[in-house]
Amino acid sequence: MIIQDSDDCYDFDINNETPGKALIFLQKALQKLDISNFFVLIISGNPDLNDEVNSLQNIYSTDDNCIQTFNVNLPYNKKIQTADTFCVVPWVHLYNATDAKIYPCCWGDFDEPFGNLLEQPIDTIINNEKFKSIRKNMLSNRKNKTCENCYLLEKSSSLSRRQQINKKYENIIPTIKENTNSDGSIENFNPNELHLSLNNTCNLKCQTCSGYSSSKLAYEEKLLYNYTNNFDRTLDKNQTNQVLNYIIPYLSTVKEIDFAGGEPTIQIEHYRVLDKLLELGCIDTLLKYNINCTKLGVKNYNIIDYWKKFPNIRVSASLDGIKEKFEYVRSGANWTQVENNFKIIKKECPHITLKVNSVISFISLESVIQLQKYWHTNNILDINNFQISLMLKNSGYFDIQSLPKKHKQRLDYSIQLHCQWLTQVGADKLVKQWQEVIDYMHANDLTYILPECLTNIKLKDKFRQQDFFSVFPEFVDVFEI
């Protein structure tokens, strides 16, 4: 029995389902100690206690039982903590997701869309209650639940998306704040940036992805888990046309377009955007790509032919290691073909800023180190054109925070050795990114998700006719904690 006789603090906007920080701490402790919620009773004056523990059980626990509650007449107040939360994204950026939903950015909470282009145009969505609320909170130093991934990275001393884009637009932030209405609305929205994930068409089934961003995974989710949400919301031709009709008016003024997906090189809709830019004469628009490097076109469209017509292009190839480990992580990819395609891009389009971005999970980390050394040493890509991104827990089961302590120590040592080599070859920026990986890895203990991770591995391995432990024998004991 636990008596809650003091106030609780809340990071985000208060509603009757938002758990307080003390409750979150309690639930995580129970999960870590493997104590069932069934044996816990909380006595509190919190009128929303029952709703909060239900939320706790859904988000932070694998227990089928909820913590028991009993309300009594005790003083209780909810306190919202404040911090530097301003982010320029809701003023200058628009993210169109694979199912036509609109979000502030691609790092946000995908359970909370801010609008849908199948229902409303952009100029209506951008000043709806959700967008006004997020701007007001940011101007008042209050946190937003949708921005939790950035807060998580900042807590572990890593550089977040929020901090990066604020630095990019620091010169116009004072004017942006001054011109925002008191209710959080803005006038004459003309985004500097468009992030277009025009559909989820993709030829891979990556371990760190979901059916939301991959049509192949959406189909697999339907077969394996009878989960059809991502499969059912795949856009048809008419819906895609509607999305494009809302996007096209912004093409003449936007400064940057970031193509993602799905896999943009096999999205016909993406080529329609390029054709429109050429028609408008907007060849100087900065085009940014995230590609898997397995394909260089679709049907009669060849991405190389298009890229030769645009002088300002940045391509980031998503490569999480090399050889058989890469092929496991990026299921459906062939390493030899990927490496050849990368060399073709480099040769045929020398004007492109070509980089590699690797998602760091515990199954990719060591192979990414090998990739960076191998490609730099063999003059395929200079070491300063590599970057890494952390895979967070809500992106999958292979978060490096879920590893047992001895494996974290082993990977820590591998990273430190790699950083010594990086320092020798002058890759100081990459050294800092790897140090952030170390900080993040040790910042939290998520070992409680390993049993679910193992269940998922076995199910997918059987379906895909592959074997995790033959590719990653170093992790055999991870699931025996």
Side-chain angles (χ1 to χ4, degrees):
M1 181 174 67
I2 299 172
I3 299 176
Q4 187 178 29
D5 57 357
S6 60
D7 300 334
D8 205 347
C9 295
Y10 295 74
D11 274 335
F12 310 110
D13 277 350
I14 291 176
N15 59 53
N16 63 341
E17 296 179 354
T18 303
K21 297 181 75 172
L23 285 179
I24 294 173
F25 175 81
L26 172 64
Q27 181 65 85
K28 286 184 175 181
L30 294 173
Q31 183 76 22
K32 183 176 181 180
L33 297 171
D34 197 23
I35 298 175
S36 173
N37 294 337
F38 176 81
F39 298 106
V40 181
L41 170 67
I42 299 179
I43 299 175
S44 172
N46 178 2
D48 301 320
L49 182 61
N50 189 58
D51 289 328
E52 290 188 25
V53 297
N54 279 320
S55 180
L56 276 177
Q57 193 267 341
N58 290 330
I59 299 173
Y60 297 100
S61 175
T62 58
D63 196 332
D64 292 333
N65 302 295
C66 283
I67 295 172
Q68 301 176 73
T69 64
F70 187 77
N71 284 98
V72 294
N73 187 22
L74 286 174
Y76 184 84
N77 292 303
K78 297 186 176 185
K79 299 179 178 179
I80 297 182
Q81 293 189 325
T82 59
D84 174 20
T85 63
F86 180 82
C87 178
V88 75
V89 162
W91 283 265
V92 302
H93 183 93
L94 187 74
Y95 175 50
N96 160 235
T98 60
D99 57 354
K101 291 179 181 177
I102 296 295
Y103 299 86
C105 79
C106 61
W107 277 62
D109 183 355
F110 275 40
D111 292 330
E112 293 293 332
F114 278 53
N116 192 324
L117 290 183
L118 301 181
E119 300 170 359
Q120 293 176 310
I122 292 172
D123 57 357
T124 299
I125 293 172
I126 208 66
N127 278 319
N128 64 19
E129 290 305 314
K130 284 192 174 183
F131 264 109
K132 289 192 293 186
S133 176
I134 194 174
R135 295 191 195 101
K136 284 179 65 177
N137 286 341
M138 287 176 173
L139 293 172
S140 303
N141 292 323
R142 292 174 62 172
K143 290 184 176 181
N144 294 283
K145 186 70 171 66
T146 192
C147 304
E148 192 170 8
N149 279 337
C150 276
Y151 307 147
L152 180 64
L153 286 176
E154 291 167 17
K155 186 177 180 180
S156 65
S157 301
S158 298
L159 190 64
S160 70
R161 162 74 168 159
R162 181 186 78 89
Q163 292 168 326
Q164 294 175 48
I165 199 164
N166 281 351
K167 179 66 175 178
K168 178 179 179 179
Y169 289 106
E170 60 183 346
N171 292 335
I172 65 173
I173 286 177
T175 302
I176 283 174
K177 291 181 176 180
E178 182 180 348
N179 292 336
T180 304
N181 299 322
S182 59
D183 65 349
S185 63
I186 56 177
E187 299 175 4
N188 302 319
F189 177 66
N190 284 301
N192 291 58
E193 304 176 2
L194 290 177
H195 188 132
L196 302 182
S197 295
L198 295 170
N199 57 49
N200 69 344
T201 301
C202 186
N203 58 320
L204 300 186
K205 297 183 289 186
C206 301
Q207 294 285 355
T208 55
C209 192
S210 77
Y212 193 77
S213 299
S214 167
S215 54
K216 289 276 189 178
L217 277 172
Y219 183 66
E220 184 178 77
E221 290 167 355
K222 179 182 178 181
L223 295 179
L224 288 183
Y225 310 109
N226 197 28
Y227 179 78
T228 61
N229 285 17
N230 292 323
F231 184 82
D232 292 341
R233 60 189 174 190
T234 298
L235 302 183
D236 61 31
K237 184 176 180 180
N238 290 334
Q239 291 171 325
T240 302
N241 286 337
Q242 182 172 333
V243 170
L244 285 175
N245 287 338
Y246 285 138
I247 294 293
I248 284 174
Y250 295 92
L251 296 182
S252 61
T253 57
V254 72
K255 304 295 189 299
E256 300 180 15
I257 302 177
D258 195 332
F259 293 105
E263 169 55 32
T265 61
I266 60 173
Q267 292 175 345
I268 293 176
E269 296 79 10
H270 144 260
Y271 292 100
R272 290 179 58 191
V273 172
L274 296 184
D275 284 334
K276 188 63 179 181
L277 289 171
L278 291 171
E279 177 189 325
L280 293 169
C282 298
I283 62 170
D284 290 326
T285 303
L286 173 59
L287 304 181
K288 300 165 69 175
Y289 285 84
N290 291 290
I291 67 172
N292 61 34
C293 224
T294 61
K295 302 285 185 179
L296 296 178
V298 61
K299 294 187 176 179
N300 295 325
Y301 298 98
N302 184 289
I303 192 61
I304 298 295
D305 293 340
Y306 275 89
W307 283 346
K308 289 179 179 180
K309 300 175 183 178
F310 291 90
N312 200 7
I313 299 178
R314 299 177 189 174
V315 174
S316 178
S318 298
L319 307 180
D320 305 336
I322 61 173
K323 300 181 180 179
E324 71 278 359
K325 284 183 166 58
F326 165 79
E327 292 176 349
Y328 187 94
V329 176
R330 300 273 175 178
S331 180
N334 177 281
W335 170 249
T336 301
Q337 184 64 57
V338 165
E339 191 170 35
N340 288 338
N341 284 344
F342 192 91
K343 292 176 181 177
I344 290 172
I345 296 171
K346 184 178 177 182
K347 178 182 177 181
E348 297 293 327
C349 300
H351 67 290
I352 288 180
T353 300
L354 191 55
K355 295 182 179 293
V356 165
N357 181 60
S358 302
V359 178
I360 300 301
S361 61
F362 73 71
I363 59 174
S364 70
L365 192 152
E366 291 169 292
S367 192
V368 169
I369 289 176
Q370 291 179 317
L371 170 65
Q372 292 179 355
K373 285 185 175 180
Y374 176 74
W375 272 20
H376 174 77
T377 303
N378 288 276
N379 297 316
I380 298 174
L381 186 68
D382 184 82
I383 192 62
N384 286 297
N385 288 325
F386 286 89
Q387 60 187 32
I388 54 179
S389 301
L390 280 164
M391 192 204 79
L392 304 178
K393 175 181 176 293
N394 62 1
S395 300
Y397 295 114
F398 297 104
D399 192 312
I400 56 175
Q401 290 186 341
S402 68
L403 285 174
K405 185 177 180 179
K406 70 173 184 178
H407 281 278
K408 288 183 178 180
Q409 292 173 338
R410 180 177 65 82
L411 293 181
D412 187 321
Y413 180 70
S414 296
I415 294 172
Q416 296 290 6
L417 286 180
H418 185 50
C419 286
Q420 292 178 17
W421 176 81
L422 291 172
T423 300
Q424 293 173 359
V425 296
D428 294 338
K429 186 176 181 180
L430 199 51
V431 169
K432 183 179 179 182
Q433 292 178 14
W434 279 109
Q435 292 294 340
E436 289 174 353
V437 170
I438 292 176
D439 293 340
Y440 174 81
M441 180 170 61
H442 294 299
N444 201 3
D445 180 3
L446 299 181
T447 51
Y448 69 86
I449 70 174
L450 287 174
E452 191 173 359
C453 178
L454 180 59
T455 299
N456 186 64
I457 287 172
K458 290 180 177 179
L459 188 61
K460 286 187 176 181
D461 276 3
K462 183 177 180 180
F463 183 79
R464 298 178 181 180
Q465 297 184 329
Q466 57 190 20
D467 182 11
F468 174 86
F469 293 107
S470 67
V471 181
F472 302 97
E474 64 270 28
F475 293 125
V476 168
D477 65 332
V478 164
F479 303 98
E480 300 174 355
I481 60 171

